[in-house]
Amino acid sequence: GAVVSQHPSWVICKSGTSVKIECRSLDFQATTMFWYRQFPKQSLMLMATSNEGSKATYEQGVEKDKFLINHASLTLSTLTVTSAHPEDSSFYICSANSIQVTLDNTQYFGPGTRLTVL
Amino acid sequence: DAKTTQPNSMESNEEEPVHLPCNHSTISGTDYIHWYRQLPSQGPEYVIHGLTSNVNNRMASLAIAEDRKSSTLILHRATLRDAAVYYCIRYSSASKIIFGSGTRLSIRP
């Protein structure tokens, strides 16, 4: 149980275009979903926290107008990278908390999406 | 600061036990300690978590110091598939995970 999927697993796009990445909790409902970015040889960096039906909370230094997050249901969150540039090329990973989990806050991670902007 | 301190890298031999240490000296009384691992080009995978008592599951064991300022992840019999970056996490407020640099574990055949 507790499986999180991401789509697409990889994407290549031209500079200036927008890319949407989906994150789904397949067998549980998620109270909160998180988006991370990971550059090569580095650790994961939290970008934003999203709760279903409310606006996402962005970490310091993350542009909310560039990285649009929509969390329309308890099983789906989307991250749209708008007007992508080569410096946005990275590994994007989402995670989710189960609505049934109250205390220990175990998060379940998706497999990641590799974005390459040409 | 919600980050933890781990050695940058460790090596072990296949089929031998591995002890991965983690310091979390500023942990609060209600923070859980979680371990995740990440294989190349994959998302992190949950390994184990605990609060005060030692914990065991099919993947590993977690030994938590009595003062909770440190913990050790124990892989009882390392295999080549255990080569990964291991992250020790304590949760900050609002359920956010703050990732440190983790420990890169290499397994020698």
Side-chain angles (χ1 to χ4, degrees):
Chain A
V3 177
V4 175
S5 71
Q6 282 184 240
H7 179 80
S9 55
W10 58 270
V11 57
I12 302 172
C13 69
K14 290 183 180 179
S15 187
T17 60
S18 295
V19 175
K20 180 187 282 189
I21 302 170
E22 291 186 350
C23 175
R24 293 182 185 272
S25 55
L26 297 184
D27 52 1
F28 66 99
Q29 291 182 317
T31 47
T32 307
M33 287 184 168
F34 304 85
W35 287 96
Y36 298 83
R37 181 167 53 180
Q38 185 175 34
F39 293 107
K41 304 289 186 185
Q42 294 186 22
S43 187
L44 284 77
M45 289 178 49
L46 180 65
M47 298 175 67
T49 303
S50 74
N51 291 288
E52 182 259 342
S54 60
K55 287 184 179 180
T57 302
Y58 291 82
E59 295 299 299
Q60 193 171 9
V62 178
E63 299 175 57
K64 62 180 182 180
D65 294 329
K66 181 168 184 63
F67 298 99
L68 301 179
I69 291 173
N70 184 274
H71 194 157
S73 76
L74 285 172
T75 59
L76 173 64
S77 176
T78 60
L79 168 69
T80 301
V81 183
T82 62
S83 187
H85 290 283
E87 57 266 30
D88 298 322
S89 298
S90 188
F91 194 47
Y92 292 86
I93 305 167
C94 72
S95 72
N97 276 351
S98 170
I99 200 169
Q100 280 79 32
V101 172
T102 54
L103 291 178
D104 66 13
N105 291 321
T106 299
Q107 291 192 18
Y108 302 96
F109 287 83
T113 297
R114 175 80 56 195
L115 170 63
T116 302
V117 184
L118 301 177
Chain B
D1 185 357
K3 284 190 179 179
T4 57
T5 304
Q6 300 176 251
N8 287 334
S9 62
M10 290 183 65
E11 278 190 81
S12 181
N13 295 319
E14 196 176 10
E15 298 189 2
E16 290 186 358
V18 181
H19 291 235
L20 297 165
C22 178
N23 285 320
H24 28 78
S25 57
T26 60
I27 195 169
S28 72
T30 56
D31 285 349
Y32 280 77
I33 300 153
H34 287 240
W35 284 80
Y36 295 84
R37 71 180 185 183
Q38 186 178 26
L39 278 65
S41 299
Q42 294 187 28
E45 174 190 24
Y46 166 79
V47 178
I48 200 167
H49 77 278
L51 184 61
T52 55
S53 305
N54 294 343
V55 184
N56 300 295
N57 66 20
R58 62 175 181 82
M59 289 181 71
S61 295
L62 176 61
I64 301 173
E66 201 169 322
D67 61 7
R68 299 203 338 118
K69 293 185 177 182
S70 64
S71 61
T72 302
L73 178 71
I74 303 165
L75 306 179
H76 295 285
R77 209 160 160 261
T79 69
L80 296 178
R81 289 180 296 178
D82 292 322
V85 178
Y86 285 78
Y87 295 100
C88 166
I89 305 291
R90 50 155 286 205
Y91 280 91
S92 67
S93 62
S95 303
K96 292 197 301 187
I97 284 184
I98 308 297
F99 279 87
S101 55
T103 296
R104 184 172 300 276
L105 176 65
S106 303
I107 305 296
R108 290 184 290 256

